[in-house]
Amino acid sequence: MDILVIGAGVGGLAVARGLLAAGHRVRLYDQAPARRTGGKALLVWSNGNAVLKDLGVSLEGVGARIDRIDALTSGGRLRTSMDIAHAADRYGFPTQAIPRRSLLERLADGLPGDIVHYGLACRSVAQDGGKVTATFADGSTATGDVLIGADGHHSVVRRALWGDGTVRPATFGTWQGLSPIDIEITDTTRHLMISGREGACGLMPAGEGLLQWWFDVRWSPGDPRPAAPLAELRRRFGHWASPVPEVLAAASEEDLEFFGHHWNKVRQVWGEGRITLVGDAAHTMPPTLGQGANQTLEDAWVLGRELAEEGDDPAVRLRAYEEARYPHISLVSRLARRNPANWRVPPLIARLVPETYQTVMLARFSNRLTATAG
């Protein structure tokens, strides 16, 4: 089949790898002038790493392995620990923190050089007579047998299918940075999640001396941005226990970027006819579980599996993909909406959670790991 993909981020590139391997013709269209090289780091859990292996992508030599997540109070007291290495041992795939640009490079490596058409912003999509057509801002069009919207939180393809107003603001927003911060945690396999009355802080080694750090604060779209956001973060969080003050002291305004959390209710059927969605276009969610990119990779894996089937109408295969993904992604979305990274569970209660709890949850989150276990 001839397949059009709108968006050339993590989802679009992963979809392209899977569909090319299945023998389809694939064309990607992205509004950016070139492949994005910005962005901060993300966490690739065991389920995401398993999908990457199937797509022929290795993360060897980039990022940092994460073996443990410790949740602390703002005063430095341990709330609970998660043994992430246990999940790696159980499933055979580690959890790694990696700069987004590095993941995009690995996903693009080996793809045909002309597969992505940059500088083309999709403005509308239509289908008729077994064909799907995308129209771009410059007036040009592209026609194929199937169209996949991998165009993220602000998806044009989703709006064409669902209308406006389906993605809503969540409770928190995040100030984040990816910086060469020379403190002890930067060279470990330990990820810290710290929460208190003022909000939450995450610290995650990302390899090559880089530390991914972020602060979650309550937010709504109408809130004014602080004139000096780093000074505001230092005022709000600077009295927390080490290493938070050290991170804030080493950070600079140039490191900072902000994004508000958003969420949409996952639909049981999110496509129509020969059009479907992957990633944030289908299931925008807060980053509080660190599963956003991983669920996008899971989408790509299931979609590739379904479109490898022969004989059925493509629309039938796309609905089978959505049906297979719904139980997993709806669970992840519901949990992410509850902002678990910002919970201030008392240490005595939090320690009742088994250290290997995440191993069980990953299987519930994953089509790929569940299929392997079966």
Side-chain angles (χ1 to χ4, degrees):
M1 284 189 293
D2 186 5
I3 299 176
L4 310 179
V5 181
I6 307 301
V10 171
L13 293 173
V15 164
R17 294 189 75 94
L19 296 180
L20 285 171
H24 299 293
R25 182 191 180 203
V26 183
R27 290 174 282 161
L28 287 82
Y29 299 88
D30 198 283
Q31 65 181 348
R35 190 170 71 225
R36 293 171 175 85
T37 58
K40 307 307 179 184
L42 49 80
L43 201 58
V44 180
W45 292 86
S46 295
N47 59 318
N49 241 326
V51 171
L52 289 174
K53 180 179 183 296
D54 289 350
L55 295 176
V57 176
S58 169
L59 299 186
E60 185 175 354
V62 293
R65 179 173 170 136
I66 302 297
D67 287 337
R68 183 166 215 84
I69 298 179
D70 289 336
L72 309 177
T73 68
S74 59
R77 187 180 178 192
L78 180 68
R79 292 188 193 274
T80 189
S81 289
M82 289 289 175
D83 182 0
I84 306 304
H86 181 269
D89 293 340
R90 168 67 178 83
Y91 300 120
F93 301 98
T95 293
Q96 290 173 257
I98 177 174
R100 182 178 293 272
R101 62 179 178 270
S102 298
L103 179 57
L104 291 173
E105 288 170 2
R106 295 294 173 102
L107 283 167
D109 187 36
L111 292 178
D114 61 350
I115 194 172
V116 183
H117 302 266
Y118 288 107
L120 287 174
C122 183
R123 289 291 180 260
S124 65
V125 297
Q127 51 185 326
D128 180 52
K131 293 292 182 180
V132 185
T133 299
T135 300
F136 303 100
D138 65 356
S140 64
T141 62
T143 299
D145 301 310
V146 164
L147 185 143
I148 298 163
D151 48 344
H153 167 197
H154 300 288
S155 174
V156 170
V157 181
R158 181 190 62 238
R159 288 202 302 272
L161 297 173
W162 300 2
D164 292 320
T166 56
V167 176
R168 301 175 181 177
T171 310
F172 284 82
T174 296
W175 290 98
Q176 66 170 351
L178 177 64
S179 313
I181 297 181
D182 187 16
I183 59 176
E184 180 184 0
I185 191 174
T186 304
D187 295 318
T188 70
T189 59
R190 184 180 178 221
H191 174 350
L192 295 183
M193 288 300 306
I194 309 162
S195 56
R197 284 179 296 181
E198 296 82 359
C201 170
L203 304 175
M204 183 174 73
E208 298 183 359
L210 296 173
L211 183 71
Q212 170 73 25
W213 51 270
W214 65 93
F215 293 88
D216 288 351
V217 296
R218 287 197 173 271
W219 164 85
S220 67
D223 291 344
R225 295 282 178 89
L230 185 55
E232 173 62 18
L233 292 176
R234 287 170 176 161
R235 183 196 67 78
R236 184 188 291 251
F237 296 98
H239 64 284
W240 282 19
S242 178
V244 175
E246 292 89 332
V247 171
L248 287 169
S252 69
E253 293 283 358
E254 290 72 30
D255 295 329
L256 275 176
E257 67 176 32
F258 178 83
F259 65 93
H261 299 181
H262 289 79
W263 180 85
N264 69 267
K265 184 176 181 179
V266 180
R267 300 187 176 195
Q268 286 188 285
V269 177
W270 58 62
E272 181 180 306
R274 291 171 175 247
I275 303 175
T276 193
L277 305 170
V278 300
D280 284 355
H283 40 75
T284 301
M285 70 183 81
T288 46
L289 294 177
Q291 273 287 322
N294 299 274
Q295 293 303 312
T296 298
L297 291 169
E298 293 256 4
D299 287 351
W301 184 79
V302 175
L303 181 61
R305 181 185 66 180
E306 293 298 336
L307 289 181
E309 298 287 335
E310 297 181 1
D312 282 339
D313 183 312
V316 173
R317 304 313 320 155
L318 296 183
R319 302 298 84 77
Y321 147 69
E322 295 160 10
E323 182 180 4
R325 288 295 294 135
Y326 176 75
H328 299 280
I329 190 59
S330 61
L331 172 63
V332 177
S333 179
R334 291 196 306 272
L335 291 176
R337 189 188 185 196
R338 295 172 188 168
N339 293 301
N342 301 304
W343 290 348
R344 290 186 287 130
V345 181
L348 259 174
I349 296 175
R351 287 176 197 160
L352 297 177
V353 178
E355 286 200 350
T356 57
Y357 172 78
Q358 194 65 46
T359 300
V360 176
M361 289 307 297
L362 282 172
R364 294 189 65 192
F365 290 170
S366 175
N367 287 85
R368 171 61 173 80
L369 297 181
T370 303
T372 301

